[in-house]
Amino acid sequence: MTSNAASAQLLAIARDIAVRASEFALEARRAGVSVAATKSTPTDIVTAVDRDTEAFIRSLILEARPDDGIVGEEGAARVGTTGLDWVVDPIDGTVNFLYGIPSWSVSIAVAEQAGPRRIEGSTLAGVVVNPVTGELFEASLGGGARSSGRPLAVNTGVPLGQALVATGFGYASEVRREQAEVLLGVLPEVRDIRRMGSAALDLASLAGGRVDALYERGLNAWDHAAGGLIAREAGARVGGVRGGREDVELLVATAPDLYDAFAALLRASGVDA
């Protein structure tokens, strides 16, 4: 198990890289952006800035930690020898990025034994930056979560009917249809729904009390590695299908006192059918 001091050192590296990558991506956005390719569907896009930013991040990681592994959204995984993997989403919220909507982020985490679908060990450090607003959210394992030096804490004491819930949707039409059916069961039972377009920022928002709960299917490890640690260190309970660990099948996160009621609502609405 990595010590708190070692996690703090990893966080310092992650913070520096995330800030530099955010400046890189924001400058590229100001210069103009267009779709470079599509991935799973025509609406699942990648821009040249996604690829260039990830390449920039990879170069900085290898400069600082040449023996670690790297799991990134846009590039092939790099197998390391230390047991630590950097989990990178160079631009989380690419559609927002493309359209100029100021809700996208750079997400960088360090974890034990990470793959694209899930993280097997502990996440040790994580940083999420919104380059447009300049907000930086960060956490280290056992070290708490902060934004601009301010400690973060999830909202507690919120009943299910008053919970503001964040979620997201997939790119394939059939997946969206299934997600819409789940939403029909959830929406009448909570305060309202927010769909902001960046899972990393959704988790950071939960940590900062801007939403009370979130759920989403189809998230890869790079979507939630940093944000999940930030939420946990802010007091959230984070899980997956039938009480298991969060992975590509499902991520659920709320304050501990809301989790069971919210998870029951999701099951009743068919989220893990």
Side-chain angles (χ1 to χ4, degrees), residues 15 28 31 35 55 58 85 107-108 136 184 206 243 262:
R15 182 193 307 116
V35 175
R58 288 169 75 97
D85 295 306
S107 174
I108 300 177
L136 184 150
L184 287 174
L206 176 73
F262 186 59

XYZ file of all heavy atoms in Angstrom, residues 15 28 31 35 55 58 85 107-108 136 184 206 243 262:
105
model
N -0.993 17.268 -10.477
C -1.475 18.650 -10.519
C -0.698 19.468 -11.546
O -1.270 20.187 -12.356
C -1.371 19.284 -9.138
C -1.915 20.721 -9.088
C -1.513 21.426 -7.801
N -1.878 20.661 -6.620
C -0.996 20.149 -5.755
N 0.317 20.292 -5.962
N -1.414 19.485 -4.706
N -5.252 25.625 -27.695
C -5.626 24.976 -28.946
C -7.092 25.247 -29.278
O -7.454 25.440 -30.447
C -5.369 23.477 -28.847
N -7.580 28.531 -30.845
C -7.084 28.587 -32.220
C -8.058 27.955 -33.210
O -7.888 28.088 -34.420
C -5.727 27.890 -32.305
N -13.735 18.274 -35.914
C -13.751 16.829 -35.678
C -12.670 16.170 -36.522
O -12.588 16.390 -37.732
C -15.131 16.241 -36.010
C -15.118 14.717 -35.886
C -16.191 16.835 -35.099
N -1.008 13.187 -26.034
C 0.413 12.982 -26.323
C 1.280 13.886 -25.445
O 2.342 13.470 -24.952
C 0.684 13.250 -27.802
N 1.227 12.395 -21.922
C 2.067 11.204 -21.861
C 3.547 11.573 -21.779
O 4.313 10.964 -21.029
C 1.802 10.314 -23.081
C 0.458 9.613 -23.052
C 0.142 8.963 -24.383
N 0.924 7.757 -24.586
C 0.485 6.518 -24.332
N -0.734 6.344 -23.824
N 1.234 5.480 -24.571
N -0.438 2.980 -12.537
C -0.889 3.381 -13.864
C -1.493 4.775 -13.805
O -2.310 5.074 -12.925
C -1.934 2.401 -14.392
C -1.365 1.012 -14.616
O -0.356 0.902 -15.326
O -1.933 0.044 -14.070
N -8.599 15.363 -17.041
C -8.694 14.473 -15.883
C -7.474 13.556 -15.851
O -7.211 12.830 -16.821
C -9.978 13.643 -15.962
O -10.035 12.686 -14.927
N -6.744 13.579 -14.747
C -5.538 12.761 -14.599
C -5.544 12.113 -13.218
O -5.719 12.799 -12.209
C -4.265 13.604 -14.772
C -4.237 14.249 -16.169
C -3.019 12.748 -14.551
C -3.053 15.162 -16.388
N -9.816 23.957 -10.303
C -9.032 22.737 -10.164
C -9.526 21.987 -8.936
O -9.587 22.542 -7.839
C -7.548 23.070 -10.033
C -6.570 21.899 -9.973
C -5.224 22.303 -10.573
C -6.353 21.388 -8.542
N -37.083 7.911 -17.001
C -38.517 8.065 -16.755
C -38.897 7.608 -15.350
O -39.822 8.145 -14.745
C -39.318 7.266 -17.790
C -39.351 7.824 -19.213
C -40.062 6.855 -20.152
C -40.041 9.187 -19.234
N -20.264 16.817 -7.432
C -20.787 16.104 -6.273
C -19.914 16.383 -5.053
O -20.423 16.674 -3.964
C -20.826 14.604 -6.565
C -21.270 13.722 -5.402
C -22.765 13.855 -5.160
C -20.904 12.259 -5.658
N -24.199 -3.143 -5.690
C -23.313 -2.882 -4.576
C -21.851 -3.140 -4.845
O -21.012 -2.963 -3.951
N -31.162 5.866 -3.128
C -30.951 6.213 -4.533
C -30.667 4.961 -5.363
O -31.203 4.793 -6.460
C -29.809 7.214 -4.653
C -29.601 7.736 -6.044
C -30.612 8.406 -6.723
C -28.383 7.563 -6.692
C -30.431 8.885 -8.005
C -28.180 8.052 -7.971
C -29.208 8.705 -8.631
